[in-house]
Amino acid sequence: MNKIAVIGAGTMGNGIAHVFAQNGYRVNLIDISQESLNKGIATISKNLDRLLAKEKITETVKENTLGNITTFTQLEIGVKEADLVVEAATEDLEVKLNIFRELDTICDANTILATNTSSISITQIAAVTKRPEKVIGMHFMNPVPIMKLVEIIRGYNTSDSVTEQIMALSKALGKTPTEVNDYPGFVANRILMPMLNEAIETLYNGVAGVEEIDTVMKLGMAHPMGPLQLADFIGLDVCLSILNVMYDGFKNPKYAPCPLLVNMVTAGKLGVKTGEGFYDYSESKKAEKVSKQFV
């Protein structure tokens, strides 16, 4: 597999494109918005600059990486000759089903179709195609260029051959692929999301404040980031979506999202991406932190 198409230029999509391109693959990055594509390329360039400053890559590697990426706003043109398509669109079932229906009609019969979904059934996505044996989950972790894990999820009909190819490809990217079966939340989010939800419940019940809860988990359990800060980083809307998928899939009340999380998402307080979640990420807050450094 030499030609890779990545659908979605957001946080996960541009990170996936970055990793493939840096490892010498030709990447077509696809999004419906040219503005989103421009932002995605800018993010990749900024992340490469960070690696360059740390002397982890050379200027040549940066130039070659950016040179390996071509952007498209038309899906049909972008995926036409791809050996592998990785879908990294929004975590919405209908959006993904529509994308895979279209991919199935325009991609070559040998093209493998992968999804970066963090919770939605691979089997359900594969069922809308005529190639369910060639549909698989590649759940990269954020930030993609740094995190080593790729959760490889087999749908009910995913073939052994496709699984082996994707495992080998992930290793070629310098990642550690881990094969899991297709159940709501897979492994990563089935364990992580109830913990984040419980931290939100702890706040909701008035047991402790935001910083206190995060401090307990960082210092007491050696987590690099507190659960509420992590939820902000992931996106509270994404957390809610994943919890709803697990709640619907298992019909178990332990996966029911906390009312506080529901209210915050409804109010548009989604974490880092909107400037406010459990913490304040607004420009005024950043300026305040900077000014305190000089006091």
Side-chain angles (χ1 to χ4, degrees):
M1 287 182 280
N2 296 311
K3 297 179 181 177
I4 312 296
V6 178
I7 300 173
T11 301
M12 297 305 296
N14 71 60
I16 294 167
H18 173 165
V19 168
F20 273 108
Q22 191 174 324
N23 283 277
Y25 294 88
R26 300 293 298 176
V27 180
N28 289 352
L29 182 59
I30 307 159
D31 202 291
I32 58 173
S33 162
Q34 186 61 50
E35 182 182 358
S36 296
L37 288 167
N38 293 343
K39 286 181 180 178
I41 294 297
T43 298
I44 294 170
S45 182
K46 187 185 298 182
N47 288 335
L48 288 166
D49 284 337
R50 288 196 185 99
L51 295 173
L52 190 60
K54 295 177 181 178
E55 298 184 345
K56 291 187 176 181
I57 63 169
T58 63
E59 184 66 41
T60 300
V61 170
K62 177 189 173 181
E63 291 174 3
N64 288 343
T65 299
L66 292 172
N68 281 335
I69 303 172
T70 306
T71 61
F72 294 85
T73 55
Q74 292 178 283
L75 182 67
E76 184 172 359
I77 299 174
V79 304
K80 189 175 181 181
E81 297 180 351
D83 300 309
L84 168 70
V85 179
V86 182
E87 172 273 318
T90 185
E91 193 71 354
D92 180 281
L93 176 61
E94 286 307 314
V95 169
K96 292 184 185 297
L97 294 183
N98 287 334
I99 289 172
F100 274 78
R101 286 189 188 100
E102 190 170 358
L103 289 175
D104 193 44
T105 63
I106 60 181
C107 289
D108 183 86
N110 294 317
T111 302
I112 295 173
L113 306 180
T115 173
N116 183 59
T117 180
S118 54
S119 61
I120 296 171
S121 169
I122 307 304
T123 303
Q124 188 174 5
I125 291 172
V128 301
T129 75
K130 295 178 181 178
R131 63 180 89 195
E133 74 285 354
K134 288 185 168 63
V135 178
I136 194 165
M138 289 185 79
H139 181 206
F140 289 84
M141 304 294 130
N142 186 29
V144 181
I146 296 172
M147 301 293 279
K148 290 292 185 183
L149 177 67
V150 182
E151 207 173 18
I152 306 297
I153 308 102
R154 296 184 63 142
Y156 190 81
N157 292 304
T158 306
S159 70
D160 291 341
S161 172
V162 166
T163 303
E164 288 164 7
Q165 287 182 72
I166 296 302
M167 292 285 283
L169 178 64
S170 299
K171 290 176 183 177
L173 296 175
K175 302 299 185 183
T176 303
T178 302
E179 183 182 336
V180 305
N181 290 320
D182 187 21
Y183 292 95
F186 315 132
V187 171
N189 282 317
R190 185 168 179 173
I191 295 170
L192 175 64
M193 286 300 154
M195 184 194 77
L196 300 188
N197 197 44
E198 193 61 32
I200 299 169
E201 285 278 2
T202 303
L203 176 67
Y204 179 60
N205 293 330
V207 178
V210 171
E211 292 188 6
E212 288 75 14
I213 291 169
D214 278 356
T215 297
V216 167
M217 296 304 291
K218 285 190 289 186
L219 301 185
M221 283 67 184
H223 289 195
M225 186 182 293
L228 299 176
Q229 185 182 8
L230 179 56
D232 275 352
F233 182 70
I234 294 169
L236 302 190
D237 54 335
V238 176
C239 294
L240 178 59
S241 175
I242 295 169
L243 284 164
N244 280 331
V245 167
M246 293 196 294
Y247 183 53
D248 291 342
F250 291 115
K251 308 301 182 193
N252 189 324
K254 75 177 181 179
Y255 298 115
C258 175
L260 175 58
L261 175 61
V262 174
N263 280 346
M264 290 180 71
V265 172
T266 303
K269 299 182 187 301
L270 309 181
V272 174
K273 69 176 81 174
T274 59
E276 185 178 358
F278 293 106
Y279 291 87
D280 186 348
Y281 305 93
S282 62
E283 291 301 320
S284 60
K285 196 68 177 179
K286 290 178 185 176
E288 182 184 333
K289 288 181 179 179
V290 171
S291 66
K292 285 182 178 178
Q293 293 175 4
F294 298 97
V295 174

